[in-house]
Amino acid sequence: GMFADAQYAVKEMVKSRYYDKAADRLQVCLNELSKHELSCVFNVGDIIDGNETEAKTNSDMDRVLSVLDTYKGKFNHVIGNHCLALPGGKTKLMEVLKMQKNYYVAFDRDNYVGVVLDGTDVGLMSWPEGSKQWEEANTMYKSLLDKEAPNAEPWNSAIGKDQIDWLQAIISKSRTEKKKVLLFCHYPIYDKASFARHLLWNSHEMLDILDKNKDVVVAWINGHYHKGGYAQHPNGIHHVTVQAILEAPIGSNAYGIYDVFSDRIDIRGFGTVPSQT
């Protein structure tokens, strides 16, 4: 199962963002997914939006957690930028979502390895202002601003060196074991499957890594860009941007079921998520 960007909050809608309807939509999503025999469900980030006070944000998260608790299967949570609005930041978020690590191997079965990445690793919203990590993120952000990069936005961020080293070791091991790799991250890295403004800060670096490992990596699956999208890179790797629950029209929703076979992945879409192979 797969859903992204619920961004629940008790506040007025803005444009096509139905903040206060997102928890009910998530409940409908999980009710449907519960009818199917799924190995796991991926939350591709941003389950809350963040509210005007800490108390309201905590209340929003409590409501979402009560919805998540109704699903009895396994969740694989991906950290998104809006998730960091929770008081206590990433540490508290991981605690309430029962996440052992911020990036991890989600599954290793049937010759496929699913890897969850933390795209908020190096970011202005990820660390206390003035900390060493924050200064590192600010340096990267200013460099992008100087280059007038379209993704030079404070709500974007990057994957750090330690995580990249870890990922490359996973890919190398998978190659040795003749397994394929699926990557899950909140942020897109390929503009043809999303929008340049929403790309991970070091998207070019990640695209280069994927290109060098196109014999192993099958797909990069992300959220963040609410309209969603799909494109196959010239190197053959598939890039899927999951449509946001938040911006589904009234009476609709946005989630999918991914059936993984040895030679293909079939997406059974619900609401604004298209079905495709």
Side-chain angles (χ1 to χ4, degrees):
M2 195 84 55
F3 68 86
D5 297 274
Q7 288 182 222
Y8 174 69
V10 179
K11 58 185 178 183
E12 294 295 314
M13 68 174 289
V14 177
K15 297 180 180 178
S16 59
R17 299 185 171 200
Y18 299 97
Y19 296 107
D20 64 347
K21 299 188 186 312
D24 289 337
R25 292 176 175 187
L26 180 57
Q27 184 69 74
V28 171
C29 160
L30 295 178
N31 288 347
E32 176 62 37
L33 295 180
S34 294
K35 299 174 185 177
H36 305 265
E37 291 188 20
L38 306 177
S39 60
C40 60
V41 170
F42 281 86
N43 152 35
V44 198
D46 283 2
I47 51 174
I48 60 168
D49 188 69
N51 219 317
E52 57 190 10
T53 67
E54 290 191 355
K56 287 184 176 180
T57 299
N58 279 326
S59 177
D60 293 342
M61 179 58 87
D62 287 344
R63 172 81 170 93
V64 169
L65 290 174
S66 70
V67 173
L68 294 178
D69 282 345
T70 66
Y71 182 74
K72 302 310 177 185
K74 177 188 176 184
F75 280 110
N76 288 310
H77 294 292
V78 181
I79 297 174
N81 52 301
H82 280 275
C83 300
L84 301 178
L86 186 69
K90 190 181 296 189
T91 301
K92 184 63 175 178
L93 176 75
M94 292 175 62
E95 177 187 322
V96 300
L97 292 179
K98 302 182 176 77
M99 297 175 65
Q100 299 298 314
K101 296 182 178 180
N102 54 326
Y103 54 91
Y104 55 94
V105 173
F107 61 82
D108 184 346
R109 54 176 290 182
D110 301 329
N111 295 318
Y112 275 94
V113 178
V115 179
V116 167
L117 298 173
D118 179 10
T120 69
D121 202 9
V122 181
L124 298 174
M125 301 171 65
S126 307
W127 306 97
E129 186 171 348
S131 66
K132 180 182 177 182
Q133 296 94 330
W134 186 91
E135 291 294 350
E136 177 189 357
N138 196 39
T139 298
M140 184 178 290
Y141 174 55
K142 286 182 176 179
S143 175
L144 289 168
L145 283 175
D146 290 342
K147 296 174 185 174
E148 298 183 348
N151 60 335
E153 297 287 356
W155 32 263
N156 289 331
S157 46
I159 293 175
K161 182 183 183 302
D162 288 349
Q163 187 177 173
I164 288 173
D165 291 344
W166 172 85
L167 171 62
Q168 290 184 313
I170 295 291
I171 292 173
S172 179
K173 181 173 182 283
S174 299
R175 178 181 287 111
T176 300
E177 297 176 351
K178 294 181 168 48
K179 295 178 179 179
K180 298 295 184 182
V181 172
L182 301 175
L183 300 175
F184 301 85
C185 181
H186 181 63
Y187 292 93
I189 59 173
Y190 188 38
D191 58 359
K192 287 182 170 56
S194 54
F195 191 63
R197 188 183 178 203
H198 288 68
L199 297 181
L200 189 78
W201 278 349
N202 58 337
S203 57
H204 292 299
E205 180 181 11
M206 297 309 297
L207 280 173
D208 185 54
I209 290 170
L210 264 60
D211 191 56
K212 292 174 180 174
N213 294 283
K214 58 183 178 287
D215 60 316
V216 177
V217 178
V218 173
W220 177 285
I221 299 166
N222 62 269
H224 196 49
Y225 179 57
H226 294 178
K227 290 183 179 179
Y230 166 80
Q232 186 173 17
H233 194 278
N235 61 21
I237 296 174
H238 301 273
H239 292 259
V240 182
T241 300
V242 182
Q243 286 74 7
I245 285 179
L246 176 68
E247 297 204 39
I250 292 292
S252 188
N253 212 326
Y255 57 95
I257 293 174
Y258 285 51
D259 296 309
V260 181
F261 300 96
S262 60
D263 61 341
R264 72 186 192 282
I265 299 173
D266 290 344
I267 300 175
R268 288 183 273 165
F270 295 78
T272 60
V273 173
S275 295
Q276 64 187 94
T277 298

